[in-house]
Amino acid sequence: MKRYHLRIRHLLLALFLIAPGMPLAQAAEFDSDSPTVLVTGSNRGIGLEFVRQYAALGWNVIATCRRPAEADALSSLADEYANIRIEQLDVLRHDMIDALARKYRKQPIDVLLNNAGFFGDTLQLSGSFFGRLNYDLWDLYVRTNAIGPLKMAEAFFGSVVMSQQKKIMTVSSLQGSIEDSYGEGSFFYRGSKAALNMFMHTLSGQNKVKKAEVLVGLFSPGLIIDDRTRNLRLDGKVERPVSVSGMIEVIDNFTPEMSGGFYKYTGDTVPW
Ligand SMILES: NC(=O)c1ccc[n+]([C@@H]2O[C@H](COP(=O)([O-])OP(=O)(O)OC[C@H]3O[C@@H](n4cnc5c(N)ncnc54)[C@H](OP(=O)(O)O)[C@@H]3O)[C@@H](O)[C@H]2O)c1
C-alpha cells in the first residue's frame, strides 16, 4: 500500500514537471545580482552566439527557440552553463509570447534581444524575382521580422522596465536601410526589415517608453561568414563571434542619446 502511494506521488510529480510553461531544460535558479537577457531564435546562428557570449559573461540567459527538443547545440550550451534557461517560443504566435511574458512578469529583463528573423531558404523565398513575385509570402516576412519584435517589446515591457539596464535591442539588417541597401531582389526581406526599423524607431519615441527610460536600438550585424556566404565576393563580411561581441559591447555602452538609432556591430551609425 505504501509503495502504491509512493508511485502515485512520483507520477504526480512527473506530471507537474512537464506541465506547460515549465522550462524544458530545468536550470538552476537565476542569480538576482546578475543582469538578464532574453534572446529569440537562439538555437542557431547569431542567436546561439549571443547565448554563448552572454552566458560566458555571467548573465542570466533566457534562450528561446521554436523547437527546444531539436536544439542540440543550445542544449549542449545549457549543459555547460547553469545560467541558461531554454524556453519554447515562436514569434509568430502571440498567445505564446503573452504566456511567456506572464511567466516572467516578476523577472527583470535588462536586455530584450529580438534576434529571430526569416530570410528564406532560397532567393525565390525572399521575394527576389521581379516578374515572378509570390505576394502571399509577404505576410510571413513582415509577421516574423517586424511584427514579432514589436509584439515582444509590448509583452515584455514590464519586465524590461523593472530591470536596471532597460534595453530593447533588435537585430535588423543593412538590407533594411533604404540608403545603403543595393543589389538584386529580396523585396520582402528588405521591406520587412525597413518596417522593423520604423517600428523600433517609433517605439523609442513613445511617451511611455521615454518616461520609463527604456532604450531602444537596432543593429546591422554585417554579413556573417557561413556556408552560404563564405565564397561570395561581397563587402562587409564578418565572423559571427566578432559581430556578436561587437553588438554586446555597443549594447553595454548604449546611451539615451543613441535610443531609436540604427547601428552597425562596430557602433557606427547606419543610414536609414
Ligand atoms: N546572417 C547574416 O549575415 C545576417 C545579416 C543581416 C541581418 N541578419 C539578421 O540576424 C538575425 C539572425 O540571423 P542568423 O544569420 O542567425 O539567421 P539564421 O541562422 O537563419 O537563424 C534564424 C533564427 O531565427 C529563428 N526564427 C525564424 N522564425 C522564427 C519564428 N517565427 N519564431 C522564433 N524564431 C524564429 C530561427 O529558428 P528555426 O531554427 O526554428 O528556424 C533561427 O533560430 C535575423 O534577424 C537576420 O535577419 C543576419
Side-chain angles (χ1 to χ4, degrees):
M1 191 66 175
K2 210 171 169 190
R3 189 175 286 173
Y4 175 74
H5 277 142
L6 215 64
R7 273 206 201 126
I8 300 244
R9 264 175 57 188
H10 284 157
L11 190 68
L12 287 172
L13 188 68
L15 280 174
F16 173 73
L17 287 175
I18 57 171
M22 288 296 292
L24 288 151
Q26 192 64 45
E29 283 298 299
F30 277 168
D31 177 355
S32 56
D33 292 333
S34 299
T36 300
V37 59
L38 183 152
V39 186
T40 61
S42 67
N43 54 310
R44 60 188 167 102
I46 293 174
L48 182 66
E49 187 59 30
F50 268 123
V51 173
R52 190 193 318 277
Q53 294 198 21
Y54 271 119
L57 289 167
W59 285 51
N60 302 314
V61 183
I62 304 166
T64 73
C65 63
R66 287 196 278 199
R67 285 176 287 273
E70 295 165 25
D72 295 342
L74 180 59
S75 297
S76 303
L77 263 188
D79 289 342
E80 205 179 319
Y81 294 99
N83 49 341
I84 298 175
R85 254 187 226 172
I86 302 176
E87 295 281 6
Q88 186 170 23
L89 184 67
D90 182 332
V91 301
L92 292 170
R93 294 270 310 273
H94 291 194
D95 57 334
M96 250 182 163
I97 294 178
D98 285 334
L100 193 65
R102 262 198 311 277
K103 179 174 173 177
Y104 281 97
R105 70 190 182 282
K106 291 189 180 149
Q107 170 69 50
I109 294 177
D110 293 86
V111 177
L112 174 64
L113 227 168
N114 286 309
N115 160 77
F118 178 67
F119 178 74
D121 293 333
T122 65
L123 285 176
Q124 185 169 25
L125 259 181
S126 56
S128 267
F129 300 113
F130 181 63
R132 282 195 287 141
L133 290 172
N134 176 358
Y135 292 96
D136 292 341
L137 288 171
W138 164 247
D139 188 55
L140 176 60
Y141 279 93
V142 79
R143 284 199 301 129
T144 309
N145 295 342
I147 294 174
L150 186 59
K151 172 65 190 175
M152 285 294 294
E154 211 176 9
F156 284 92
F157 191 69
S159 284
V160 172
V161 170
M162 69 174 74
S163 75
Q164 296 259 313
Q165 300 197 22
K166 304 187 199 181
K167 293 167 182 168
I168 298 174
M169 299 287 140
T170 304
V171 184
S172 180
S173 169
L174 192 61
Q175 296 208 45
S177 161
I178 289 175
E179 219 171 310
D180 234 2
S181 184
Y182 50 87
E184 282 293 308
S186 297
F187 286 89
F188 299 152
Y189 181 71
R190 289 177 181 180
S192 64
K193 290 291 189 181
L196 166 69
N197 290 354
M198 180 55 97
F199 283 178
M200 290 298 151
H201 182 71
T202 303
L203 177 66
S204 73
Q206 300 305 294
N207 275 336
K208 191 173 169 176
V209 173
K210 288 194 289 189
K211 249 191 189 160
E213 300 180 326
V214 169
L215 306 182
V216 180
L218 286 153
F219 284 94
S220 157
L223 183 60
I224 302 296
I225 299 171
D226 57 20
D227 293 344
R228 209 173 39 181
T229 60
R230 199 169 309 279
N231 298 321
L232 295 179
R233 286 217 193 143
L234 290 170
D235 293 337
K237 290 208 278 189
V238 58
E239 295 289 352
R240 191 180 293 118
V242 175
S243 167
V244 168
S245 66
M247 286 189 274
I248 289 177
E249 198 181 328
V250 181
I251 293 170
D252 273 350
N253 296 307
F254 213 84
T255 62
E257 295 68 39
M258 293 169 75
S259 193
F262 186 13
Y263 305 96
K264 258 183 92 167
Y265 66 92
T266 54
D268 295 328
T269 302
V270 182
W272 294 113

